[in-house]
Amino acid sequence: DIQMTQSPSTLSASVGDRVTITCRASQSISSWLAWYQQKPGKAPKLLIYKASSLDSGVPSRFSGGGSGTEFTLTISSLQPDDFATYYCQQYDSYPYTFGQGTKLEI
Amino acid sequence: QVQLQESGPGLVKPSETLSLTCTVSGDSITGYYWSWIRQPPGKGLEWIGYIYYTGSTNYNPSLKSRVTISLDTSKNQFSLKLSSVTAADTAIYYCARNLYYESWFDPWGQGTLVTVSS
């Protein structure tokens, strides 16, 4: 299985901050990576697919980058609605695997 | 737009079989891949497996011996059965769509909590 490791596990930030979350794969996954946002009691919501493609309706302050084994999710200016847990997911090969999550807190 | 809704018992006894159904509305089940994912309370996400509209399946090896995913195209539904459950199978179970053979999950159902307890 491909192991996905996110850092940090918890990130404290303030409204207006620029933040970056990193996701590392245990082997190359090309650009086959997605990012999700999950709020308490809700299902994950797709933000980004193919490492850097923004899903429809997702604010442009979100951006994704990277390829191979190292990927980033950047929020350019944090808004109150962005405080949530973020997960990366590889879909290069089965079984699909997720990172352990990064909790973004105030 | 397509919407998914999980349904099934919220409590299952140890050693019994967990059974859930996902009902798809707003689009046909035909042409896509349909997955089950679970999340133990307060923990991360684990992909369980998928079924293609043709009926072909692919399961996570960690659960393969206990999992069966099936579909009913006439009802636009697909289902999950997980046998011989233990407390470790307590989780929120989500259904989700994959557009392609290897792709992201979107959209997701709201999830349903299944507790394994006697």
Side-chain angles (χ1 to χ4, degrees):
Chain A
D1 298 5
I2 298 175
Q3 305 302 314
M4 306 300 292
T5 304
Q6 290 181 231
S7 60
S9 295
T10 305
L11 180 56
S12 297
S14 301
V15 173
D17 284 355
R18 178 185 178 90
V19 298
T20 297
I21 299 168
T22 298
C23 177
R24 289 185 174 85
S26 59
Q27 64 189 70
S28 177
I29 57 170
S30 185
S31 295
W32 307 126
L33 184 100
W35 288 98
Y36 303 88
Q37 176 192 67
Q38 186 177 36
K39 295 182 179 178
K42 299 293 187 183
K45 173 192 169 188
L46 177 70
L47 297 175
I48 288 170
Y49 60 94
K50 207 175 174 184
S52 61
S53 296
L54 210 61
D55 191 37
S56 175
V58 175
S60 58
R61 63 180 180 273
F62 290 90
S63 63
S67 65
T69 62
E70 187 155 334
F71 302 85
T72 57
L73 172 69
T74 298
I75 309 172
S76 60
S77 178
L78 276 173
Q79 299 301 302
D81 191 50
D82 300 338
F83 292 94
T85 299
Y86 294 85
Y87 293 93
C88 60
Q89 175 237 332
Q90 67 82 17
Y91 52 95
D92 176 78
S93 63
Y94 292 104
Y96 293 147
T97 48
F98 294 85
Q100 81 280 14
T102 294
K103 184 176 182 181
L104 180 53
E105 58 183 29
I106 301 174
Chain B
Q1 79 231 19
V2 60
Q3 293 184 311
L4 289 75
Q5 177 70 58
E6 304 88 351
S7 59
L11 181 64
V12 181
K13 290 182 168 55
S15 81
E16 295 190 344
T17 296
L18 177 160
S19 296
L20 296 174
T21 296
C22 182
T23 300
V24 179
S25 60
D27 198 357
S28 172
I29 206 166
T30 301
Y32 301 109
Y33 296 80
W34 303 92
S35 281
W36 287 97
I37 301 139
R38 69 180 184 178
Q39 184 174 38
K43 296 188 177 180
L45 298 156
E46 179 181 35
W47 173 72
I48 299 169
Y50 78 65
I51 188 164
Y52 190 39
Y53 79 100
T54 58
S56 65
T57 56
N58 190 351
Y59 303 137
N60 192 323
S62 68
L63 297 167
K64 188 173 183 177
S65 64
R66 299 193 291 131
V67 171
T68 302
I69 299 177
S70 59
L71 81 167
D72 186 337
T73 54
S74 67
K75 294 182 179 179
N76 232 34
Q77 295 176 333
F78 62 105
S79 299
L80 168 70
K81 290 189 185 299
L82 182 65
S83 63
S84 305
V85 297
T86 70
D89 295 310
T90 293
I92 299 170
Y93 286 77
Y94 297 100
C95 56
R97 184 181 69 176
N98 302 95
L99 280 177
Y100 314 112
Y101 171 62
E102 288 178 327
S103 78
W104 55 93
F105 302 104
D106 181 60
W108 298 57
Q110 65 183 30
T112 188
L113 174 63
V114 179
T115 302
V116 178
S117 175
S118 56

